[in-house]
Amino acid sequence: MLDDLAESRRGEWEGRTYAELAADDPERLAAFEAGERTFAFPGGESLEEQIARTRRALATIAAGPQPALAVAHAGTIRAAYALEGRPLPPERELPHGQLLRLG
């Protein structure tokens, strides 16, 4: 297991529902949904920090035996999209069990 593939460190948002966040923090939720790279979870990490963690994890995987498979949560998948230069879809719209080819 690679710790760098862990889900986003969401700070004060941890365990809160989308509906709660939409009601309590709509501007910040909109920035998160839009994938603004300057976005940071209150009391947690920024998207840029998660992208850096994902970059390190994928470099470790790429340096190991091939072929390789990484399993991760949606936040890490979004970070991988960013590394590929792809637009970041809203996290809640990512399909579960998605195969994402990198490189």
Side-chain angles (χ1 to χ4, degrees), residues 1-51:
M1 180 175 139
L2 295 174
D3 289 338
D4 281 337
L5 286 180
E7 182 57 300
S8 314
R9 295 178 183 99
R10 299 188 178 213
E12 296 167 22
W13 281 19
E14 195 68 47
R16 299 196 59 206
T17 67
Y18 186 86
E20 289 172 335
L21 295 172
D24 296 343
D25 203 352
E27 289 179 14
R28 199 174 305 191
L29 180 60
F32 170 67
E33 289 277 287
E36 293 179 13
R37 293 181 100 149
T38 57
F39 170 83
F41 294 101
E45 72 182 330
S46 69
L47 290 182
E48 282 295 331
E49 289 169 321
Q50 184 167 27
I51 290 167

Side-chain angles (χ1 to χ4, degrees), residues 65-83:
Q66 299 298 313
L69 174 70
V71 178
H73 291 276
T76 304
I77 293 169
R78 280 180 92 205
Y81 271 48
L83 292 171

